[in-house]
Every structure is written in C-alpha cells, then in structure tokens.
Amino acid sequence: GAVVSQHPSRVICKSGTSVKIECRSLDFQATTMFWYRQFPKKSLMLMATSNEGSKATYEQGVEKDKFLINHASLTLSTLTVTSAHPEDSSFYICSAREGGGPSDTQYFGPGTRLTVL
Amino acid sequence: GENVEQHPSTLSVQEGDSAVIKCTYSDSASNYFPWYKQELGKGPQLIIDIRSNVGEKKDQRIAVTLNKTAKHFSLHITETQPEDSAVYFCAAPLGGGKLIFGQGTELSVKP
C-alpha cells in the first residue's frame, strides 16, 4: 500500500527558532501534498495545499510567512514553522495524493508532534 | 458554507456488537467519501472509501453505505473488537480536491 513518512516524529524547540518538518511519499509520486494541523481531541484542520513545482495555496487564516511550504519534488514536501511560539505547539500531519483529482485517495503520514517552549 | 457533519461524537459498544457512524455532506458534487481511523498519537489511516457510482462497499467487518439523494454516508463495523477502539473520521472533497473532515467519532469497544 501507499506509504507516507514524516520526519521528525517529535520535536521540541525554543521560542523564536524555526523548525522544518519533512513529508515523503515512499512508494508513489505525489502530485499534491496537504498539510494539516490537529489540536487535542479535534478534527484535522487543513493549512495548505502544495503542488510540485508551484507555490502552495494557503487556507484562510493561515500565515504563509509563518508556515513556509516547499514541494520541491514529487516525493517530498517540507513545512517550516518560522519563529515558533508556544501557540504553534500542535500535531502536524501531511498527506499525499498520487492523482490530481478530488476523488483520488489521500494517504496520511504518521504526524509530527511540535512542542515550543 | 460547505461542510461535513459527523455523528455521534462518542460511541461505546460491547465487544462483538456493531457500531454505526453517520455523516452528512452539503456539496452535491462530492463523489468520493473516505473513512479514516486514527489511533492516539498517530496519523489517520484509510480504512475504506466509496465512490458515488456505488451505494455500498464492504471489506471484511467494515462496510460503507452511501445515499447520494439524501447526501449522507455511513460506516458500519460488525463484530467489534477492542482494537477497533480509535477515533474515526469521515471526509468529503470540496472543489479543488480539498478533503473536508467530519468532527470525528471516538469509538470505545469494551471487552
């Protein structure tokens, strides 16, 4: 089956620093990747959609300069949380979709737990 | 706006019983409906999905039914086991392929 990995699985950083999270599709090429944020006992909140080789599309209320997304290849997307603050602490999850259509299956990574001190 | 409503938010069943989770969606153009299972501290895992050209799909103890006219779809788990305990999310795509998730159902299967 399709596998999506994320690295790191867990990161603790100091306030003001930047953190990069990687998302990789291991056995398929992902035309589109998505980044979600999830608070405890809550649903997944879409942050942005990234297509390989083009700029990411951010959801309303998500600061693009705060959450930098790069989708440099068909198997890798990165999310960089810049100048992190404690309120950025959350569970970040990526997903990858092989096809370009809305009915193509999305596969999720295992998530990254970010804690900002 | 476009959304997906999921019920119930929590569900507790005895091992061996069936569990049913229901979702309604607002976008009549939606044609793909996945269900994900999320265990604590992990990412969502696709367990079953259905496309709008069929009304039901089954995979062992899991089945999904779709009523396009009423715009609702349901997840059915039969012969539940303790390892089925998790949070389940339904989803439907909006224009542009963005998956919109339901609020989640925390299923607890008691031995």
Side-chain angles (χ1 to χ4, degrees), chain A residues 42-62:
Chain A
K42 295 293 184 182
S43 189
L44 290 85
M45 183 187 77
L46 180 65
M47 298 174 66
T49 301
S50 81
N51 292 293
E52 184 265 339
S54 62
K55 289 184 178 180
T57 302
Y58 290 81
E59 293 301 301
Q60 192 172 7
V62 178

Side-chain angles (χ1 to χ4, degrees), chain A residues 5-61:
Chain A
S5 70
Q6 270 183 253
H7 179 79
S9 59
R10 189 179 292 267
V11 57
I12 300 173
C13 69
K14 292 183 179 180
S15 190
T17 61
S18 294
V19 173
K20 180 186 283 189
I21 303 169
E22 291 187 351
C23 176
R24 293 181 186 273
S25 56
L26 298 186
D27 50 3
F28 66 100
Q29 292 188 324
T31 306
T32 308
M33 287 184 168
F34 303 86
W35 287 95
Y36 293 83
R37 183 173 181 177
Q38 188 177 36
F39 292 102
K41 293 191 178 294
K42 295 293 184 182
S43 189
L44 290 85
M45 183 187 77
L46 180 65
M47 298 174 66
T49 301
S50 81
N51 292 293
E52 184 265 339
S54 62
K55 289 184 178 180
T57 302
Y58 290 81
E59 293 301 301
Q60 192 172 7

